[in-house]
Amino acid sequence: MFWTADNYLVFGYEGDGWHHLYSISGNGGEARLLTPNEGEVEYAGLSADKKTIIYNGNIGDINRRHIWQVAAAGGNPKLLTPGRGIEWSPVQMADNQIVFLRSDATVPARPAVLAKSGAIKDLSPELIPSEFPSSQLVQPQAVILTATDGMKIHGQLFLPGNHKNGEKHPAAIFFHGGSRRQMLLGFNYGEYYHKAYAMNQYLASKGYVVLMVNYRSGIGYGMEFREALNYGATGASEYNDVVGAGLFLKNREDVDGTKIGLWGGSYGGYLTALGLAKASDLFAAGVDLHGVHDWNVVVKNFIPSYDANKRQEWAKIAYQSSPLPFVNTWKSPVLLIHGDDDRNVPFSESVTLAEALRKNHVYFEQIVFPDEVHSFLLHRNWLEAYKASSAFFDKFLKK
């Protein structure tokens, strides 16, 4: 929310189910919609003269981010960065040039400038090493799959570079964390998912068909999708999306339906574990990074006063929405990765699950990073985690 130089109050509102910008004159009157159509405004700021709004969002390109501008007094918004790139965090300088960050399907994030002529120029091209394998990366494609309860779910599909019609490949499904996140058709603007996107490209380079799933309760697809009924600890309705993604791949002619793996971190680790626990007949292996396995434990991180004994009905639903009560039907091998100083998802979550898997004779491997936090701080730990994940999938999905 901010005031402009020409006396307009600009604010965000979801009255139509999408996060849009509105303005109202300081002299009174009706609020006017500044950013129409389906899609959401994610970041907004004032222009150099403080009369125009510079913003980025996914309006008109639901699986990317672009930069727009619109006068606070109203009028047609102008798309400043069309194309297949992803642009975010715009700031207009005193000379009216707009600086921002951008990425695309094959080149990671870098700073850029939008000149008054409309041309985009990278500010420091040397930040991308000359040996970076952009030419070897693939362009993911937008897909829509159907969850088992009928909800339509967006995703991004990577076909391996050696893809041939009629040839079957192993497959991997990635679930982001959050859950208030959205994976895009390129390197993500979030650091954690910037790396996860690179990992999915790596799996594709090794011959996997890879699917990133933007499951319900994530952002980018409107308020109703984000606030989906019975998600997470209140019913695990996202499990419908997990199975729907598995069936989507299994029914493809280029996927070996017996070699589908799951992976993800945090909330994505939760959905990976839930999929393996409840549908080991569909999912052959998984990699679970610092995942949630019992909501009644993890919710205490966010609500310190939470006492399951005082909320027994809610606690029962939360437990039944977790992977742990379904360990008796868990058959597929899993790799557990966790830092033992995790402040978001307690390390005990992986310890408890490992004990349960051991008692049920489920094969698992485990990597523990001493003194490491939730989003690993050390580059070498990310490398070890991803190399181990790739090797684990090769072990169980390629043989």
Side-chain angles (χ1 to χ4, degrees):
M1 180 184 296
F2 38 81
W3 283 98
T4 66
D6 46 356
N7 197 32
Y8 283 92
L9 176 66
V10 178
F11 59 95
Y13 179 52
E14 288 185 303
D16 63 355
W18 300 89
H19 185 259
H20 285 307
L21 294 179
Y22 293 78
S23 70
I24 188 169
S25 171
N27 299 320
E30 296 290 325
R32 67 183 68 196
L33 173 63
L34 299 179
T35 59
N37 300 319
E38 292 188 350
E40 314 226 295
V41 173
E42 194 162 51
Y43 168 90
L46 285 172
S47 61
D49 65 4
K50 300 187 185 305
K51 294 181 180 180
T52 300
I53 313 304
I54 310 294
Y55 63 96
N56 79 285
N58 64 348
I59 298 171
D61 197 352
I62 203 76
N63 291 300
R64 293 188 178 92
R65 298 289 186 272
H66 296 303
I67 297 173
W68 298 69
Q69 70 178 22
V70 64
N76 293 325
K78 181 180 180 181
L79 175 60
L80 300 179
T81 58
R84 301 174 71 181
I86 297 167
E87 301 87 30
W88 67 96
S89 297
V91 176
Q92 188 173 52
M93 310 301 287
D95 61 0
N96 290 327
Q97 294 189 114
I98 297 174
V99 294
F100 55 95
L101 295 172
R102 72 163 175 158
S103 67
D104 52 54
T106 62
V107 184
R110 66 272 191 197
V113 60
L114 179 68
K116 288 180 286 186
S117 65
I120 296 176
K121 180 182 178 180
D122 286 339
L123 287 173
S124 300
E126 69 277 6
L127 291 175
I128 307 298
S130 59
E131 64 271 20
F132 188 82
S134 293
S135 62
Q136 300 173 35
L137 303 187
V138 299
Q139 292 275 348
Q141 54 188 266
V143 295
I144 297 178
L145 57 98
T146 303
T148 53
D149 62 355
M151 182 177 282
K152 299 300 181 182
I153 303 297
H154 289 256
Q156 296 85 33
L157 183 71
F158 300 72
L159 298 181
N162 63 349
H163 182 272
K164 296 178 181 178
N165 292 333
E167 185 175 304
K168 291 189 178 293
H169 297 263
I173 302 174
F174 172 75
F175 302 106
H176 61 75
S179 63
R180 303 299 198 247
R181 308 283 188 272
Q182 183 191 19
M183 298 303 291
L184 307 173
L185 287 167
F187 280 91
N188 198 277
Y189 54 81
E191 179 190 7
Y192 189 108
Y193 303 105
H194 205 269
K195 294 190 282 281
Y197 177 86
M199 176 61 177
N200 285 322
Q201 283 278 6
Y202 179 63
L203 290 174
S205 76
K206 297 188 67 178
Y208 290 87
V209 172
V210 181
L211 176 64
M212 300 191 302
V213 180
N214 284 327
Y215 55 88
R216 72 190 72 189
S217 77
I219 63 171
Y221 305 106
M223 180 174 62
E224 185 175 345
F225 186 87
R226 189 191 69 232
E227 304 299 333
L229 297 177
N230 305 319
Y231 74 87
T234 64
S237 59
E238 301 99 325
Y239 176 69
N240 295 294
D241 311 341
V242 175
V243 177
L247 295 175
F248 172 85
L249 289 180
K250 185 176 182 178
N251 291 329
R252 288 180 61 90
E253 293 183 352
D254 56 357
V255 170
D256 181 345
T258 67
K259 303 294 183 182
I260 301 174
L262 304 176
W263 83 281
S266 195
Y267 209 111
Y270 157 64
L271 292 179
T272 293
L274 197 63
L276 296 175
K278 300 181 71 174
S280 277
D281 58 334
L282 179 58
F283 303 116
V287 177
D288 172 355
L289 289 89
H290 38 241
V292 174
H293 307 131
D294 182 353
W295 279 115
N296 283 305
V297 174
V298 177
V299 74
K300 293 179 183 177
N301 266 23
F302 309 100
I303 308 176
S305 62
Y306 174 74
D307 184 346
N309 292 321
K310 295 180 179 179
R311 300 185 61 183
Q312 293 186 11
E313 285 302 314
W314 194 94
K316 181 180 178 181
I317 294 172
Y319 185 65
Q320 290 299 317
S321 302
S322 307
L324 268 178
F326 303 99
V327 170
N328 61 332
T329 57
W330 188 323
K331 306 298 180 185
S332 299
V334 64
L335 170 62
L336 304 175
I337 304 175
H338 213 145
D340 70 1
D341 194 25
D342 193 326
R343 311 295 176 88
N344 296 63
V345 176
F347 176 60
S348 61
E349 285 291 271
S350 287
V351 174
T352 302
L353 179 61
E355 181 180 4
L357 294 172
R358 187 179 294 112
K359 288 181 178 179
N360 282 274
H361 309 290
V362 178
Y363 181 87
F364 72 93
E365 296 178 13
Q366 192 167 17
I367 296 175
V368 178
F369 293 127
D371 303 319
E372 187 58 281
V373 297
H374 190 63
S375 183
F376 307 144
L377 294 174
L378 300 181
H379 179 65
R380 67 169 182 263
N381 289 342
W382 278 114
L383 287 178
E384 182 179 345
Y386 282 170
K387 287 180 179 179
S389 299
S390 174
F392 191 83
F393 278 149
D394 287 351
K395 181 176 181 179
F396 290 100
L397 301 181
K398 283 195 170 182
K399 293 184 179 179

